[in-house]
Amino acid sequence: MGSRLTFNQKPMLLLLLLHSLFTLTRSQSTTCRTSCGHIPIEYPFGIDDGCGSPYYRYILVCSESEKLEVRTPSGRYLVHNVSYADPHILVTDPFMWNCEDGENYRPTRPFSLDTSTRFKLSPQNEYLFFNCSEDHVIVKPKTIFCERFPERCDSSCDSGSYLCRHMPGCSFAMSGSSCCSYSPRATESLRLMLKYCTSYTSVHWRNVGAPQPYDQIPEYGIRIDFDIPVTTRCLQCQDPSKGGGTCGFDTETQGFMCLCKQGNSTSHCKDYDAARHSKRVNVIAGTAAAVSAAGVFGVGAGIWYLKKVRAKAPVTCGVQSNENRLF
């Protein structure tokens, strides 16, 4: 027959189990993935809840196949690149026209952004619209001056666009008024244009670091610029001399949290008092399973068990010894 636990061993075993549970909870609460596939994930973004800035909460999604996607009101779009030095992300819309379509202009839907986020369409985007109704859209060629300073010209759709004559990656040019270029200042303009045009595509001008005028090349895709909220607390949190934590936030209050290996702090990882206080703060970053229903049940059962054991503890006339100590 196997040996049975003695009265003094049972509380110790239970304490070890409880300690393991809370240690797991703290370690999971500071888990922030730093990449999705080949794309690095840095502040202000996060793909785990509680990581990064709350301004970009639920914006980026890492799929099971390690593909990074961005959520917008018009759908989820594949992210091809994220730049933090020149803050922008590059996405593609599968509904947009491409070279393989030729003059087969399939129906599409307009790309849109949530205006409540800190995303905005980059001025480096140029949109090509196809088969627009000239009864509703002004289609005419523009001067070279307008190509360099579009904000100083009217809002007509340029039928003499360089891109219509030199489609990136295409072995042909679009004919006549079937193609025109337009640079909207808001995504709402895309929706209005598509009411009177058959299809469209987006081209952004990518900086390649060459001398002007060859410093940019056209590529398909939508460039979305973003802001990086910079705060003193985040800089202190990231400071290697202060523990090198990760900037995050409380998932309930959205208040700032510095995510550290030993726990969460409201300032930085070497702030002992804040780190000790953070152990009592209910913050979940990176997983919804950090405190599971089973864990809560286990803690409740443990407390019930301790009360039961304490009720049966031997009477020691008020003297607590190492043999009957529970905590």
Side-chain angles (χ1 to χ4, degrees):
M1 294 179 64
S3 61
R4 298 179 61 182
L5 293 175
T6 66
F7 173 84
N8 292 328
Q9 289 175 319
K10 289 179 179 179
M12 185 60 66
L13 176 61
L14 181 58
L15 288 176
L16 290 174
L17 292 174
L18 291 174
H19 176 74
S20 299
L21 171 64
F22 288 120
T23 301
L24 176 62
T25 298
R26 288 196 299 270
S27 65
Q28 287 180 329
S29 68
T30 57
T31 301
C32 292
R33 285 174 288 175
T34 58
S35 66
C36 179
H38 68 282
I39 300 178
I41 305 298
E42 301 175 11
Y43 184 82
F45 297 130
I47 51 178
D48 301 295
D49 197 16
C51 300
S53 168
Y55 290 116
Y56 298 101
R57 189 179 189 182
Y58 304 133
I59 295 293
L60 295 182
V61 181
C62 188
S63 68
E64 294 182 358
S65 57
E66 290 289 299
K67 300 293 184 182
L68 188 64
E69 297 176 323
V70 60
R71 284 191 178 114
T72 80
S74 56
R76 286 168 57 157
Y77 301 91
L78 186 65
V79 177
H80 286 272
N81 183 50
V82 179
S83 172
Y84 299 94
D86 177 20
H88 72 273
I89 66 175
L90 182 63
V91 305
T92 55
D93 183 352
F95 292 94
M96 285 184 174
W97 178 92
N98 58 59
C99 288
E100 295 179 358
D101 293 330
E103 296 192 6
N104 177 29
Y105 304 115
R106 52 195 171 89
T108 186
R109 64 185 184 188
F111 177 84
S112 65
L113 287 176
D114 186 348
T115 56
S116 66
T117 65
R118 300 201 173 189
F119 281 142
K120 57 182 179 294
L121 289 176
S122 172
Q124 296 185 29
N125 292 326
E126 194 167 336
Y127 300 90
L128 304 180
F129 292 86
F130 306 110
N131 282 358
C132 298
S133 169
E134 297 190 33
D135 293 334
H136 300 90
V137 178
I138 302 174
V139 180
K140 65 177 185 179
K142 291 184 178 181
T143 63
I144 297 178
F145 174 82
C146 291
E147 289 188 3
R148 296 185 59 188
F149 305 100
E151 68 280 358
R152 300 185 185 181
C153 296
D154 59 40
S155 58
S156 60
C157 198
D158 183 14
S159 59
S161 165
Y162 169 85
L163 290 176
C164 284
R165 292 178 283 111
H166 302 85
M167 300 293 291
C170 298
S171 58
F172 57 88
M174 306 305 291
S175 58
S177 61
S178 64
C179 173
C180 64
S181 173
Y182 179 62
S183 299
R185 293 181 175 86
T187 55
E188 177 67 13
S189 300
L190 292 177
R191 187 183 66 81
L192 294 175
M193 285 288 289
L194 281 177
K195 288 180 62 177
Y196 308 111
C197 301
T198 305
S199 187
Y200 84 122
T201 194
S202 174
V203 176
H204 76 103
W205 291 89
R206 182 170 67 88
N207 293 314
V208 293
Q212 292 186 351
Y214 308 104
D215 58 328
Q216 294 182 327
I217 59 173
E219 290 184 351
Y220 292 104
I222 304 173
R223 172 173 165 147
I224 304 172
D225 294 339
F226 63 87
D227 297 327
I228 300 180
V230 179
T231 65
T232 302
R233 287 190 296 179
C234 184
L235 293 176
Q236 289 180 339
C237 173
Q238 294 175 327
D239 189 345
S241 66
K242 295 184 177 181
T246 301
C247 297
F249 58 92
D250 188 310
T251 56
E252 293 183 359
T253 66
Q254 299 200 50
F256 174 80
M257 294 298 292
C258 184
L259 309 180
C260 312
K261 292 181 180 180
Q262 71 273 20
N264 300 325
S265 169
T266 55
S267 55
H268 54 80
C269 296
K270 287 194 174 181
D271 189 336
Y272 175 78
D273 292 333
R276 182 176 60 179
H277 171 72
S278 70
K279 295 177 183 179
R280 300 192 297 269
V281 178
N282 180 24
V283 177
I284 301 174
T287 175
V291 180
S292 64
V296 174
F297 176 78
V299 173
I303 294 174
W304 173 85
Y305 174 76
L306 286 176
K307 287 182 177 179
K308 185 176 179 181
V309 170
R310 189 183 294 244
K312 295 182 178 180
V315 177
T316 57
C317 300
V319 178
Q320 190 177 38
S321 64
N322 287 332
E323 286 72 29
N324 63 26
R325 186 182 302 273
L326 292 180
F327 294 102

